[in-house]
Amino acid sequence: MSKGYGPLADRPDKPAVGLEVSHESADLHVTGAALYTNDLIGRTLGTLHAWPVQAPHAHARLTGLRVAAAYDVPGVVRVLTADDVPGLNDAGEKHDEPLFPSEVMYHGHAICWVLGETLEAARLGAARIEADYEPLPALITTRDAIRAGSYQGEHRTVSRGDAAAALDTAAYRFSGELEIGGQEHFYLETQAALAIVDENGQIFVQSSTQHPTETQDIVAHVLGVPAHQVTVQCLRMGGGFGGKEFQPHGLAAIAALGATLTGHPVSLRLNRTQDITMTGKRHPFFATWEAGFDAGKRLCALRATLTSNGGWSLDLSEPVLARALCHIDNAYWIPDIEVHGRVAKTNRQSNTAFRGFGGPQGMIVIEDILGRCAPALGVEPHELRRRNFYRPGQATPYGQPVRHAERLAAIWSLCAERSDFDRRQAAVAAFNAAHQDTKRGLAITPVKFGISFNLTAFNQAGALVHVYKDGSVLINHGGTEMGQGLHTKMIQVAATALGVPMAAVRLAPTRTDKVPNTSATAASAGADLNGGAVKNACDQIRERLAIVAAGRLGVPAEDVRFAGGMVTGLGAGDQRIAWPELVHDAYMRRVQLWAAGFYRTEGLHWDAERMQGEPFKYFAYGAAAAEVEVDGFTGAYRLRRADIVHDVGDSLSPLVDLGQIEGGFVQGVGWLTLEELLWDETDGPNRGRLNTQAASTYKIPSFSEMPEEFNVHLFERATESGVVYGSKAVGEPPLMEAFSVREALRQAVGAFGPAGWSVTLATPATPEAVYWAVRAARDAAPSEQPAPAYVGA
């Protein structure tokens, strides 16, 4: 490996990247000293508080609004309505999300906002506002929308070959359907914004946002001002998971509008019930499919239709659907394939990004197919998966070569070995034979996940690095910190690139007047993009300093080395220059000590109309083995053990990556087995109301759902070329390793039935759903087994 600073993936001697360091704000987090957006209210005099007036209908026309009574409440300062908007009354980029609606589109839709000197005053004022509604028919479920033909956005298709012909000639043919539930983000910090306007009309917005630039754009177009008049800063977020990629913008615009009209700072923070009832979720999907296998039990054809529930507006539904279509293959070669995608329009909150961004919904379809078809094919599920893996030289249905496909088999084998899969499989069989009312299941599943934004333009980032005269370093970059450790990695990247101790580097909050035109911190690309930009800025500074050092050391500039806060030269003997000394010397010579860095992901091209191209820089790979135990009387389960092998390339920060893998896996387990969103689907007055509005009714994973034994291993010798210091993204891919838990539940449920019973499992596979699946398996007689050439539907 190069000892200099050449290709992006090369690491110098003694790098700070790769060290196991704690999160840069860990001490602040655990002591409570870390500041979040809402904490700033106490430091901002005269702050007003915003409270929404939420409509009690899933779909209705707003025919009257009387706000005068709100002003009778002491402390109420202003009621914001559509008449107050000086610019564009829209909270989105597609102009389909009125900030103040004239037509209510979901139960809990905010029709206006009250500003009060206290939150209680604003709440009481909102309760005084009178509104008249003309109720309209409401579509609540995805099936409702399909029956009504209610769709929005573009329909997309990914295809290769002739799926219909291949299905007709397949040795085995199956069909079925799968309904996939949504998921509430349930970040610790709810949506929050604080807006201040100065004497020149400049708007400063503190926002808990994953996409400060887009928040800036929306605030500007609502206020009717140019972007340069709006600055957005994100100190940090108490979790995001995609829920703060698009949804914060309109809320920040409300705060900014209130600040502009009143001259006071305005705080908007949703309480938990407001957040759950007003903001979007992971998209529920409904899939229908036909799959064909050849005589060797290998996939030869797939034809499917994926329908996502977009809610009332598009938000990010189109790119979420595109990623689902591009991930339905997961780790498997499917020669002939035709998959259609469409976005349903319903009277629900506008669904949005969630960790995995549609990838999980696409991937679970093929995993469900293999899990359901394996018994009918007479093949063990893990063997059916293994024999269908991509091999070197093969490409995805959308035309991207699967580079490093051999890693799939290597990671799979390593996971099986480290989890002792073969021995434990025999032990599970023995346990099940000895226990009538409790069964265990063991499953292993793979992950192949594409890294980069589907929208090619988003694959760019900027950074600003300052080196001060004393040698200390300040970095700004366009990524946001939501607890995932991005800032920690960026400090490690800067320290490595400049050859200084990490203690010499400080990171400033993300803000749009320092690094403009940023992309969202999403798509797992935060470290790739911003790390490339930070390194680029540091490289510029280091190259200037190398010229100064070369003159003092008597060596060519390309032979100067920076490491551990010291500067040396090849062939310069024992001569060493301390970093602060060199920096001061450079300043005295009038050498520029700051730089703006930029990075763009090379090699990407994508035709969104044809759904063909190479949209991803690389694929992240992984495998997980999980063992569960199911109680046949209640459907309750225990996750006895989970083993993960995951490919993060050469990790920038192993301790941070370990936390991301563990957290992503557990969040995936929540989506697949616990978290169930329930709406009122009756024709009564509460039709469309979200019934799971709080932690008391919506179950997220807790300590008791953690695997009793949890082993995570980072795949070794996995340098990824063309990415900052050879690393790979880690935010989203581990979530899909939770498929192993769902498939283990399928195995355990199947053990309650006759040999070869094909289990149909709901998503999420809650204890209730598992109970009914157990009942079906127990009630089945061997003669009721599905025909060998047919499963499901």
Side-chain angles (χ1 to χ4, degrees):
M1 181 176 291
S2 167
K3 298 298 182 183
Y5 295 81
L8 189 60
D10 288 356
R11 295 189 175 189
D13 289 329
K14 301 177 182 178
V17 293
L19 298 179
E20 292 191 355
V21 299
S22 61
H23 192 287
E24 50 88 24
S25 291
D27 291 347
L28 300 178
H29 290 159
V30 299
T31 60
L35 291 176
Y36 295 84
T37 299
N38 200 57
D39 295 323
L40 302 173
I41 296 172
R43 302 174 176 222
T44 310
L45 294 176
T47 300
L48 303 180
H49 302 263
W51 191 275
V53 176
Q54 293 182 261
H57 301 281
H59 192 197
R61 189 170 290 109
L62 180 63
T63 58
L65 186 63
R66 293 175 294 281
V67 304
Y71 289 99
D72 295 334
V73 175
V76 168
V77 174
R78 185 76 182 242
V79 179
L80 303 179
T81 69
D83 293 337
D84 294 314
V85 177
L88 187 63
N89 181 28
D90 197 274
E93 295 280 8
K94 296 183 178 294
H95 308 316
D96 64 344
E97 295 189 37
L99 192 60
F100 297 94
S102 58
E103 183 179 349
V104 172
M105 295 301 291
Y106 66 93
H107 198 289
H109 202 164
I111 58 171
C112 64
W113 293 77
V114 178
L115 306 182
E117 294 173 352
T118 65
L119 195 60
E120 180 68 0
R123 183 186 71 82
L124 293 174
R128 294 283 191 94
I129 290 177
E130 298 176 349
D132 300 323
Y133 302 97
E134 178 189 334
L136 299 169
L139 302 172
I140 306 304
T141 70
T142 310
R143 292 177 187 264
D144 287 343
I146 292 172
R147 284 191 291 267
S150 176
Y151 301 104
Q152 55 187 327
E154 297 293 332
H155 292 209
R156 297 297 186 198
T157 299
V158 169
S159 64
R160 173 176 58 201
D162 190 336
L167 284 167
D168 288 340
T169 58
Y172 305 90
R173 183 171 179 173
F174 306 90
S175 64
E177 61 183 36
L178 176 65
E179 193 151 8
I180 305 163
Q183 187 177 19
E184 164 61 33
H185 298 89
F186 223 104
Y187 23 65
L188 292 176
E189 176 203 25
T190 56
Q191 300 276 359
L194 174 65
I196 301 172
V197 179
D198 70 12
E199 73 279 6
N200 294 314
Q202 301 290 309
I203 302 107
F204 181 52
V205 180
Q206 302 266 12
S207 176
S208 184
T209 175
Q210 292 175 237
H211 199 172
T213 289
E214 199 165 62
T215 301
Q216 176 191 30
D217 292 344
I218 300 304
V219 170
H221 85 217
V222 168
L223 297 181
V225 299
H228 73 222
Q229 200 165 323
V230 179
T231 297
V232 175
Q233 174 170 288
C234 178
L235 285 176
R236 55 170 58 83
M237 286 168 277
F241 312 120
K244 296 176 180 176
E245 182 176 349
F246 197 88
Q247 305 262 311
H249 311 331
L251 302 173
I254 293 290
L257 175 62
T260 301
L261 293 175
T262 66
H264 288 271
V266 171
S267 167
L268 187 159
R269 181 187 64 83
L270 302 183
N271 64 32
R272 182 63 64 184
T273 299
Q274 290 166 342
D275 198 298
I276 292 179
T277 57
M278 292 174 65
T279 65
K281 325 296 178 193
R282 181 188 295 279
H283 288 73
F285 270 59
F286 177 73
T288 58
W289 55 266
E290 293 179 272
F293 294 81
D294 63 21
K297 316 291 178 67
R298 289 185 173 84
L299 280 161
C300 62
L302 175 65
R303 184 165 57 190
T305 297
L306 305 183
T307 305
S308 75
N309 189 330
W312 73 280
S313 67
L314 273 174
D315 194 280
L316 293 167
S317 294
E318 289 176 305
V320 165
L321 178 66
R323 185 167 280 263
L325 294 173
C326 290
H327 281 78
I328 196 169
D329 58 323
N330 191 13
Y332 311 109
W333 165 251
I334 309 171
D336 292 277
I337 184 170
E338 179 184 320
V339 186
H340 303 279
R342 55 194 181 178
V343 179
K345 185 171 185 176
T346 60
N347 295 110
R348 287 190 186 179
Q349 298 90 342
S350 187
N351 289 316
T352 192
F354 199 126
R355 198 174 194 168
F357 202 78
Q361 293 97 311
M363 293 159 71
I364 196 176
V365 174
I366 193 65
E367 293 300 337
D368 190 66
I369 289 170
L370 295 176
R372 290 170 67 175
C373 293
L377 290 168
V379 180
E380 289 282 358
H382 65 274
E383 171 57 23
L384 185 62
R385 289 183 166 91
R386 186 198 61 78
R387 73 174 56 179
N388 280 288
F389 282 169
Y390 275 108
R391 298 174 182 172
Q394 293 176 332
T396 65
Y398 48 90
Q400 176 151 356
V402 181
R403 194 161 58 91
H404 294 157
E406 67 282 356
R407 286 191 188 180
L408 274 169
I411 290 170
W412 179 270
S413 297
L414 185 58
C415 185
E417 176 189 330
R418 294 182 68 91
S419 66
D420 200 8
F421 188 84
D422 292 340
R423 183 195 63 78
R424 288 170 56 211
Q425 192 178 31
V428 164
F431 177 92
N432 290 344
H435 294 79
Q436 181 178 352
D437 298 314
T438 305
K439 302 292 184 183
R440 291 177 179 172
L442 176 65
I444 181 171
T445 56
V447 167
K448 175 186 70 65
F449 190 82
I451 301 298
S452 290
F453 287 93
N454 284 73
L455 180 62
T456 303
F458 278 176
N459 295 290
Q460 60 175 301
L464 183 62
V465 176
H466 295 168
V467 175
Y468 294 97
K469 290 183 292 182
D470 63 355
S472 62
V473 180
L474 178 69
I475 61 175
N476 267 99
H477 63 88
T480 55
E481 177 63 49
M482 60 195 94
Q484 85 280 35
L486 176 62
H487 285 353
T488 308
K489 289 184 174 182
M490 295 305 96
I491 290 171
Q492 290 179 270
V493 167
T496 298
L498 294 174
V500 300
M502 289 178 59
V505 182
R506 184 174 78 83
L507 192 141
T510 308
R511 52 188 288 163
T512 56
D513 62 352
K514 295 295 186 291
V515 179
N517 308 324
T518 59
S519 297
T521 304
S524 303
D528 286 2
L529 296 175
N530 295 288
V534 168
K535 185 177 183 299
N536 175 254
C538 292
D539 286 350
Q540 294 176 50
I541 296 168
R542 193 196 61 252
E543 287 166 6
R544 297 177 198 139
L545 291 174
I547 296 172
V548 177
R552 292 186 54 177
L553 296 170
V555 299
E558 59 268 23
D559 289 342
V560 173
R561 296 291 179 265
F562 297 76
M566 302 300 295
V567 184
T568 58
L570 300 179
D574 294 333
Q575 292 187 77
R576 289 152 54 93
I577 308 172
W579 165 264
E581 180 186 342
L582 178 63
V583 168
H584 187 268
D585 190 10
Y587 169 75
M588 297 304 293
R589 296 168 185 253
R590 296 185 294 176
V591 173
Q592 183 179 336
L593 293 174
W594 58 269
F598 181 75
Y599 174 80
R600 51 173 283 174
T601 309
E602 300 294 345
L604 305 180
H605 60 93
W606 181 241
D607 186 332
E609 296 294 326
R610 296 174 51 244
M611 294 291 286
Q612 290 289 307
E614 296 188 22
F616 306 122
K617 178 66 174 178
Y618 56 82
F619 294 104
Y621 299 112
E627 181 179 339
V628 300
E629 184 175 296
V630 171
D631 182 333
F633 292 114
T634 65
Y637 77 91
R638 290 193 300 131
L639 179 49
R640 302 186 71 244
R641 178 173 171 179
D643 293 83
I644 295 173
V645 175
H646 194 80
D647 174 15
V648 295
D650 290 338
S651 175
L652 291 176
S653 194
L655 200 59
V656 167
D657 286 348
L658 178 66
Q660 285 291 285
I661 293 168
E662 291 175 343
F665 174 82
V666 172
Q667 193 169 48
V669 171
W671 168 52
L672 293 169
T673 69
L674 293 173
E675 301 180 41
E676 187 171 26
L677 292 160
L678 298 173
W679 277 264
D680 188 328
E681 298 176 22
T682 70
D683 290 329
N686 291 321
R687 177 172 173 78
R689 179 182 184 271
L690 179 61
N691 291 327
T692 46
Q693 296 188 8
S696 59
T697 51
Y698 183 79
K699 171 66 174 172
I700 61 173
S702 62
F703 185 77
S704 60
E705 277 75 45
M706 289 290 288
E708 295 169 15
E709 181 179 345
F710 199 3
N711 304 304
V712 177
H713 178 72
L714 303 184
F715 189 59
E716 297 166 332
R717 295 180 297 280
T719 303
E720 184 64 31
S721 61
V723 187
V724 62
Y725 292 129
S727 63
K728 271 189 175 181
V730 71
E732 293 168 304
L735 184 137
M736 279 68 77
E737 280 152 357
F739 292 153
S740 60
V741 177
R742 183 175 184 273
E743 292 307 300
L745 287 172
R746 189 197 303 277
Q747 295 291 96
V749 171
F752 284 98
W757 175 254
S758 180
V759 174
T760 301
L761 202 57
T763 305
T766 61
E768 180 184 5
V770 169
Y771 169 78
W772 289 112
V774 169
R775 280 284 301 270
R778 279 178 156 166
D779 293 345
S783 60
E784 295 175 337
Q785 289 301 294
Y790 184 77
V791 166

